[in-house]
Amino acid sequence: MNLALGRAGVTLGLAAAVLGVITVGYGLVRKRPDLVRLSRWYAALVFFGGFIAAFAMERALITRDFTVKYVADNGSTKTPALYNFATMWGALQGSIILWALILGGYLVAVVLKFRKRLADPLVGWALFTMLIVCAFFFGLMVGPANPFKGFSPPVGFDGPGPNPLLQNNPLMAIHPPMLYLGYVGFTVPFAFAIAALITGRVGEGWLLATRRWTLIAWGFLTVGIILGSWWSYEVLGWGGYWAWDPVENASFLPWLTGTAYLHSVLVQERRGMLRVWNISLLCATFALTILGTWITRSGVLESVHAFTTSSIGIALIGFFALIVFSTVGLIGWRGDRLRSPGRIDSPLSREGAFLANNVLFAAFAFVILLGTLFPLAVEALNNDRVSVGVPYFNRMTMPIGLTLLFLMAIAPVLPWRKASAELLRHRLIWPAWIGIGSMIFAVIVGARGFIPVLAFGLGGFAAGSAGRQIALATRRQGWRGFVGRANGGMVVHLGVIIIAMAFAASTSYVRQAEFTLTPGQSAKFAGHTLVYEGQNVKQESAKIVDQVLIRIDGTGPWAPSLNKFANGNQTIGTPSVRSTFTDDVALSVIDIKDGDNGSVTIRVTVQPLIIWLWIGGGVMAFGTLLAVFPGRRRNPLDAVSAPVSVEPPKEPTGVTP
Amino acid sequence: MSSLLAKGSPLRRWGPWIAVFVVTVAVLSIATFGARSAPTAQDRVTTISRSVKCPVCSGESVAESNAPASQEIRRQIAEQVQQGQTDEEIRSFYAAKYGQAILLTPSASGVNALVWILPIVAFAIGIAALVIVFRRWSSMPAERATDEDRKLVDSALRAEADDSDLDDDPHGEGASR
């Protein structure tokens, strides 16, 4: 029943997408608006197909219908309800259903938003592009990633359940959907960019039409990445939250190019420049989401998060190649129209800063891409093995990160067109003192080392600058000084700074040690006292939990544990973390000796400011919401910047949303 | 002297920035050269084991992994640190034993040097491109609005004012600017 329903959903989605591509494409080429307008029905059917597939899969999981092979492979009667529900995105085939469902959702949202413009060739070609992407993903579910394969379970069969790591923390239920909402969301601006190239309407119209979509996708991606690192901190138990692992990098790459785009697009909106660059960034972002899926799902690279391997690799890399070749071809074809008349007057200007930002973000993305794929390239060319890991990424990205912080301090106060040293002297002195204050504070509380203290200084400088913009905007506009793109953007900056500071502090001052303790024994480490009290064994439906009870500085007991799952003989540790605003003490069990004295080996990781990573993530998400909220409306005919020849005004005019 | 501190003099204007610079240098020197506790043997074990890959797992360092092989290597590293070997000696010991791929920091020789050099080359190209673009822009004559342009704008503005009751934004493209 579920099998049939699911297959029907996939078939419906695929058929609707393919027919939609043909109909809309034909209508666009033959200039038949009546056919182009049919896209709305195809969109609805694609979404409906995805919905039925997802519904069938959830129903199969919940009723433990083991005639569906996916459920037999990944489900179990013992899995708790929440993790059972989340099993849909716990393995490859099911995660493609989620992808297709979200893509269908975005498709319908675009149709609804542009319902009055469906016959407009720009919207038509955008929907055409989206339908092609839909056809590809539904095609995957028919071919290499079929979630509805049959299985005939023997009597009394029970599946192994999802990977134990995936049923250890409730974040599993929200992190993948958030990430996918981000990944898939970039399809919308990408489709409009392609449509702009095809129709030749490469002006700013498509940008304005999609900028909020881009921001929303970016916000989801940000939240998804941060939740993912939180998950890895709470589950993997090695004391860290970011390992520059291929899967983490795969999600970070589109974030970097997407962030670059969000900034450089402002130059195009204001000045009509950088058209080729913006389209390239957007297409790169979308292509990187596909490349990221390939990295994650094809099993070419080793990763702790890659929970599946399959033959889907060829399809994904082929689709990636198609995207790259068609966008490069289209940009080449439209080269003449993409040339823009304007020029940037001075490097010391808002647009100059955005260009610098783009060079830095592009360099950042290049380092990550190179480091991630380098082992693969070396092995292919040289048949040699090499590893590129945390030390490489930390060393290479640190100077880029510091420069970005510096830029984050300068750029918000710069006016468009041209700034003078005099102007910067005025506007930046207070942010500079805030930066100095934060350095002095860091040194007083014991921070040492050139790089981390410099990072705290630059962080304070950048925070002062963002705070200055918010203060000026609220003084002028009241509560509206918080909303709109420019003001919300400053709140996002604050979130980024908080995360950067927490990252600098935790990477620079991490302390880690292992202790073997017998009950009643205590250990002192990094200013904390740990007392091992004893063990507590709990029997749960899917696992046996052997908790080690430890008091940290008299609080607790904290209970890191080893979980022995009923199915299979994997033993998975669950760490326990005591968080405070100043530092985190993370405990994980390395070994429990089978003996009568009950001695255990635990790993203790003490890192400062970890909690601020999650707080910073919350601030970024909040700032994105503020930025999505419409700011003060500006009459499109109002001048947005003063002519070059005039002395720049004393107070900023650049904050106009 | 009084002229140096007069209102609007360069010293008066840039004084605060000179102070910022001096304090920054002072604080950063304290942070760099100030007394700090030397890394303990345990800290060194952590640092080294973070740069050695776990031989049996996928993409984790010895410090992260809980596999028996990693536990053994961690114990071994602790011993080597006790014996007074340097970080480099310990790392090359593992590179010799398991091959270069055991180190998470690629070496800077042979093909592997590319992973260090390419980002710098790419960044240099980026900067060079920016410089070239700005050169070209600054040599471009600034466009001046001709009378014809002004007429065009004026007539467009007049049309705008006349049609203000019409939908001036049929595609909704600038509606929320």
Side-chain angles (χ1 to χ4, degrees):
Chain A
M1 167 62 193
N2 292 320
L3 213 51
L5 191 63
R7 283 175 183 162
V10 171
T11 314
L12 174 66
L14 179 63
V18 171
L19 288 175
V21 169
I22 295 170
T23 318
V24 175
Y26 182 83
L28 285 165
V29 173
R30 289 295 162 98
K31 307 227 177 333
R32 292 267 305 273
D34 52 324
L35 290 182
V36 177
R37 269 202 204 92
L38 286 179
S39 57
R40 61 190 191 280
W41 294 111
Y42 290 113
L45 286 174
V46 167
F47 175 66
F48 191 55
F51 179 80
I52 291 180
F55 175 80
M57 183 52 82
E58 283 299 354
R59 189 158 175 267
L61 280 168
I62 290 166
T63 58
R64 269 76 171 180
D65 177 358
F66 294 121
T67 60
V68 178
K69 189 164 181 301
Y70 184 83
V71 181
D73 288 343
N74 302 291
S76 160
T77 52
K78 298 195 180 72
T79 314
L82 178 72
Y83 301 114
N84 187 49
F85 184 79
T87 299
M88 186 171 99
W89 46 87
L92 168 73
Q93 293 86 350
S95 70
I96 302 289
I97 303 183
L98 180 65
W99 191 299
L101 174 69
I102 293 176
L103 188 53
Y106 273 113
L107 187 64
V108 169
V110 169
V111 164
L112 288 177
K113 168 83 183 167
F114 295 94
R115 60 191 174 280
K116 289 181 186 154
R117 292 175 61 189
L118 287 178
D120 179 348
L122 184 76
V123 178
W125 282 110
L127 287 168
F128 172 81
T129 312
M130 285 189 81
L131 283 165
I132 291 180
V133 181
C134 289
F136 172 74
F137 277 96
F138 277 95
L140 286 182
M141 287 196 282
V142 175
N146 186 346
F148 294 105
K149 279 192 183 139
F151 179 71
S152 32
V155 181
F157 176 87
D158 193 3
N163 184 314
L165 287 173
L166 302 184
Q167 38 177 323
N168 232 351
N169 190 296
L171 283 170
M172 192 49 214
I174 43 173
H175 149 61
M178 285 289 161
L179 200 61
Y180 277 27
L181 279 166
Y183 269 177
V184 182
F186 280 111
T187 314
V188 180
F190 165 75
F192 273 87
I194 294 291
L197 286 172
I198 294 177
T199 56
R201 281 160 57 186
V202 293
E204 281 59 62
W206 70 275
L207 277 187
L208 299 177
T210 58
R211 68 177 178 208
R212 200 159 287 158
W213 297 86
T214 318
L215 202 53
I216 289 170
W218 181 89
F220 277 125
L221 187 59
T222 308
V223 171
I225 292 173
I226 288 165
L227 289 180
S229 84
W230 198 359
W231 171 85
S232 109
Y233 182 63
E234 296 284 342
V235 167
L236 296 182
W238 55 275
Y241 48 88
W242 190 262
W244 298 108
D245 160 289
V247 171
E248 293 166 358
N249 293 349
S251 66
F252 195 38
L253 279 169
W255 187 88
L256 288 169
T257 51
T259 309
Y261 170 78
L262 284 179
H263 289 94
S264 66
V265 74
L266 295 167
V267 179
Q268 186 175 346
E269 277 181 28
R270 253 334 135 80
R271 309 286 314 269
M273 307 178 62
L274 308 183
R275 288 175 176 173
V276 176
W277 177 242
N278 282 324
I279 286 186
S280 311
L281 272 180
L282 207 43
C283 295
T285 305
F286 180 69
L288 284 170
T289 66
I290 302 295
L291 187 74
T293 315
W294 174 71
I295 290 174
T296 326
R297 295 305 188 184
S298 65
V300 289
L301 289 166
E302 299 174 344
S303 157
V304 286
H305 303 260
F307 292 103
T308 47
T309 54
S310 82
S311 60
I312 198 175
I314 309 285
L316 284 168
I317 203 74
F319 191 52
F320 171 76
L322 173 76
I323 295 165
V324 172
F325 285 125
S326 43
T327 48
V328 169
L330 280 171
I331 291 173
W333 176 51
R334 286 299 188 196
D336 55 330
R337 294 204 190 194
L338 287 167
R339 229 164 279 142
S340 48
R343 65 167 199 181
I344 290 179
D345 307 283
S346 154
L348 197 63
S349 63
R350 183 76 67 87
E351 47 273 56
F354 282 138
L355 283 186
N357 153 309
N358 272 225
V359 170
L360 288 167
F361 270 104
F364 206 139
F366 181 76
V367 167
I368 307 290
L369 189 65
L370 181 72
T372 310
L373 296 181
F374 194 72
L376 207 62
V378 168
E379 203 177 340
L381 295 176
N382 229 354
N383 209 10
D384 202 4
R385 290 185 71 83
V386 58
S387 306
V388 181
V390 180
Y392 170 82
F393 288 107
N394 278 350
R395 197 179 305 169
M396 295 302 273
T397 56
M398 182 263 294
I400 303 178
L402 290 179
T403 319
L404 277 172
L405 276 178
F406 179 70
L407 195 62
M408 238 167 148
I410 310 279
V413 309
L414 286 173
W416 292 92
R417 303 210 80 155
K418 201 168 188 175
S420 62
E422 199 69 5
L423 182 95
L424 290 183
R425 176 176 78 81
H426 259 294
R427 293 184 177 178
L428 284 176
I429 188 69
W430 281 110
W433 282 116
I434 292 172
I436 285 189
S438 74
M439 272 199 295
I440 292 175
F441 179 76
V443 169
I444 287 174
V445 298
R448 289 293 182 277
F450 178 77
I451 300 293
V453 172
L454 178 64
F456 298 137
L458 289 174
F461 190 19
S465 192
R468 173 186 184 277
Q469 297 304 100
I470 295 174
L472 286 175
T474 45
R475 195 186 297 166
R476 238 189 348 255
Q477 307 168 27
W479 66 273
R480 277 196 168 274
F482 281 109
V483 300
R485 210 165 28 160
N487 305 326
M490 286 302 114
V491 178
V492 175
H493 272 200
L494 287 177
V496 173
I497 294 161
I498 293 172
I499 289 178
M501 300 300 91
F503 187 85
S506 60
T507 350
S508 308
Y509 305 117
V510 55
R511 304 283 313 275
Q512 197 170 53
E514 278 173 35
F515 294 97
T516 301
L517 301 172
T518 50
Q521 208 182 349
S522 69
K524 273 194 191 311
F525 182 62
H528 296 280
T529 311
L530 313 168
V531 183
Y532 169 38
E533 295 202 319
Q535 290 175 37
N536 178 27
V537 180
K538 282 198 299 185
Q539 182 86 42
E540 288 180 12
S541 72
K543 59 190 177 187
I544 301 168
V545 182
D546 196 344
Q547 292 181 321
V548 172
L549 304 177
I550 290 176
R551 286 194 180 274
I552 304 172
D553 304 331
T555 64
W558 304 88
S561 60
L562 285 184
N563 310 295
K564 202 163 169 47
F565 281 80
N567 306 306
N569 44 12
Q570 247 183 314
T571 305
I572 297 292
T574 303
S576 175
V577 183
R578 189 191 74 159
S579 293
T580 64
F581 286 114
T582 48
D583 70 355
D584 267 29
V585 181
L587 302 171
S588 52
V589 184
I590 303 253
D591 199 13
I592 298 181
K593 295 277 184 324
D594 295 327
D596 43 4
N597 71 346
S599 86
V600 295
T601 306
I602 53 163
R603 174 194 289 153
V604 186
T605 313
V606 180
Q607 288 176 101
L609 304 187
I610 291 282
I611 205 173
W612 294 95
L613 291 165
W614 327 130
I615 295 175
V619 173
M620 284 179 78
F622 180 62
T624 311
L625 278 180
L626 294 176
V628 168
F629 195 85
R632 197 183 53 165
R633 290 193 176 197
R634 187 176 66 82
N635 182 342
L637 295 173
D638 282 354
V640 289
S641 57
V644 203
S645 51
V646 175
E647 271 290 306
K650 277 264 156 21
E651 278 312 306
T653 52
V655 203
T656 337
Chain B
M1 191 67 206
S2 60
S3 69
L4 267 179
L5 287 172
K7 218 174 174 195
S9 72
L11 191 63
R12 184 77 176 262
R13 282 185 299 148
W14 291 99
W17 281 100
I18 295 167
V20 164
F21 180 75
V22 170
V23 177
T24 306
V25 170
V27 176
L28 281 177
S29 352
I30 294 174
T32 316
F33 306 110
R36 64 174 126 173
S37 45
T40 62
Q42 178 62 52
D43 292 336
R44 281 189 56 206
V45 175
T46 307
T47 317
I48 298 169
S49 55
R50 284 190 172 204
S51 65
V52 176
K53 188 169 169 271
C54 160
V56 296
C57 14
S58 49
E60 284 176 291
S61 75
V62 166
E64 294 156 19
S65 147
N66 233 349
S70 299
Q71 296 190 26
E72 177 56 26
I73 294 180
R74 285 203 295 265
R75 204 189 49 71
Q76 218 174 350
I77 294 177
E79 246 167 48
Q80 289 163 317
V81 168
Q82 284 296 321
Q83 289 162 7
Q85 299 188 27
T86 66
D87 294 12
E88 258 336 290
E89 278 168 0
I90 299 175
R91 279 200 196 99
S92 32
F93 168 78
Y94 288 102
K97 191 170 169 192
Y98 293 94
Q100 199 63 44
I102 198 76
L103 298 183
L104 286 167
T105 322
S107 66
S109 60
V111 190
N112 294 351
L114 280 180
V115 81
W116 297 102
I117 297 168
L118 282 181
I120 297 167
V121 172
F123 188 66
I125 291 176
I127 296 291
L130 268 192
V131 171
I132 291 171
V133 170
F134 271 108
R135 280 257 177 92
R136 192 180 299 163
W137 274 327
S138 61
S139 67
M140 235 164 63
E143 300 213 7
R144 300 239 165 253
T146 58
D147 286 341
E148 239 169 281
D149 294 338
R150 288 186 197 289
K151 253 179 233 156
L152 203 66
V153 171
D154 284 341
S155 66
L157 281 175
R158 225 170 293 123
E160 176 81 22
D162 293 345
D163 296 352
S164 55
D165 52 342
L166 286 176
D167 186 4
D168 62 342
D169 194 9
H171 299 327
E173 294 189 345
S176 57
R177 198 188 258 252

